[in-house]
Amino acid sequence: MAPAKKSTGKKVAPAPYPIKSKQQAKGNQNPLLESSPKNFGIGQDVQPKRDLSRFVKWPKYVRLQRQKKILYQRLKVPPAINQFTQVLDKNTATQLFKLAHKYRPETKAEKRDRLRAAAAAKAEKKEVAKTDKPVVIKYGINHITALIEAKKAQLVVIADDVDPIELVIWLPALCRKMGIPYCIVKGKARLGALVHKKTATALAFTDVNDADKAELANVISAVKTNFADKWEESRRTWGGGINGPKSNARLAKRAADAAREVAARQ
């Protein structure tokens, strides 16, 4: 048997690493134009466009209305005020405004032309044709209050964003007491546009033509379902009390610490 060879202690050199070929640049680059990465440090390249709305100093009225909205979320809002957050659904509101559009009052220009025509006819000693009193929607908080108290209003429409809210906060209670259907809709400006004003706190239907009585009855039925029938529920419902993300995170951390202490005792 042949004797085993003794190791000389020399290690075999490892195989050389394969030489990587340089990747060729994509496309034909112009050697005269060198690419230089932008430096957005202070005093360097022009900064990219960002959303800076968080850092804008907004006008005071914008800040106030945003703060008011957040306060209404944080503070506990009593039911009398919270009821103005429950507005009429979109489909019924669209139907209501279509009906109201048919009974818009005349504008100042139309009234001026009508009176001038009547005055001219009177000056010429012509007989002025007598016309029936036009059927229009009523507006003005004092006028509407008188109509409700006299039970002449068939439907009262109240805006949800009246400021100060004390102007109309009592109106739903008065309507319920007198048995008048009422509803709350979005936008005092939307109501104002119907009566040729900037804004209107409330509108009232006193009468409609025979052709539209069925449509008004449908609207009143939907309004009663959404407001009058849900009064017992809404008068117990408080609003607000919604914490912000920081408060929620702090409360969650506090609850986790308390749970950890309870687990450690057991």
Side-chain angles (χ1 to χ4, degrees):
M1 202 174 164
K5 293 182 179 180
K6 295 182 180 179
S7 61
T8 56
K10 293 182 179 180
K11 294 181 180 180
V12 180
Y17 292 108
I19 300 172
K20 293 181 180 179
S21 60
K22 293 182 180 178
Q23 295 179 352
Q24 294 181 354
K26 295 179 181 179
N28 296 327
Q29 291 185 347
N30 191 339
L32 299 177
L33 303 175
E34 296 182 3
S35 63
S36 56
K38 287 192 174 183
N39 179 11
F40 294 120
I42 297 174
Q44 304 299 323
D45 291 321
V46 177
Q47 296 290 324
K49 288 187 177 181
R50 297 189 184 95
D51 183 14
L52 301 176
S53 58
R54 181 178 172 81
F55 307 102
V56 173
K57 186 174 182 182
W58 295 97
K60 191 173 183 179
Y61 80 95
V62 174
R63 278 179 282 151
L64 285 174
Q65 65 190 14
R66 289 181 179 178
Q67 289 166 359
K68 180 182 175 183
K69 182 181 177 182
I70 295 298
L71 276 176
Y72 270 128
Q73 291 177 356
R74 301 287 180 268
L75 301 176
K76 286 190 175 181
V77 182
I81 298 176
N82 188 55
Q83 66 178 333
F84 287 92
T85 60
Q86 312 299 324
V87 295
L88 196 63
D89 62 278
K90 188 176 180 180
N91 293 334
T92 311
T94 304
Q95 188 180 358
L96 172 65
F97 278 99
K98 279 183 180 178
L99 178 62
H101 194 79
K102 298 178 183 178
Y103 298 96
R104 299 178 75 187
E106 62 182 358
T107 61
K108 285 185 177 180
E110 291 170 349
K111 183 178 180 181
R112 184 181 64 240
D113 294 341
R114 176 174 60 82
L115 293 177
R116 281 180 178 174
K122 189 176 181 181
E124 294 172 3
K125 295 182 180 180
K126 292 181 181 178
E127 186 178 352
V128 180
K130 291 185 178 180
T131 56
D132 295 331
K133 187 177 180 182
V135 179
V136 295
I137 49 178
K138 310 297 182 181
Y139 64 98
I141 195 69
N142 292 333
H143 189 193
I144 289 174
T145 305
L147 291 172
I148 294 171
E149 290 174 343
K151 294 190 176 182
K152 291 182 179 178
Q154 294 186 14
L155 175 64
V156 177
V157 185
I158 309 168
D160 72 327
D161 56 348
V162 178
D163 189 31
I165 196 67
E166 287 82 5
L167 289 173
V168 292
I169 198 172
W170 46 269
L171 201 52
L174 179 64
C175 290
R176 281 192 303 274
K177 183 178 180 181
M178 305 306 293
I180 305 293
Y182 74 94
C183 64
I184 298 169
V185 297
K186 278 188 175 181
K188 58 186 178 183
R190 199 176 177 190
L191 294 184
L194 287 172
V195 292
H196 314 293
K197 302 286 182 184
K198 286 184 178 178
T199 57
T201 54
L203 303 178
F205 287 86
T206 53
D207 195 12
V208 292
N209 297 329
D210 293 339
D212 296 320
K213 284 188 177 179
E215 188 177 353
L216 180 63
N218 291 336
V219 173
I220 290 175
S221 176
V223 160
K224 283 183 176 178
T225 305
N226 288 334
F227 290 91
D229 296 346
K230 293 183 178 179
W231 162 239
E232 285 300 322
E233 179 187 346
S234 64
R235 77 185 189 91
R236 294 189 181 93
T237 305
W238 285 63
I242 302 171
N243 291 328
K246 290 182 180 178
S247 298
N248 285 333
R250 187 171 63 250
L251 293 173
K253 184 181 178 183
R254 194 180 298 167
D257 292 342
R260 204 179 298 117
E261 287 180 6
V262 172
R265 290 173 190 163
Q266 293 175 352

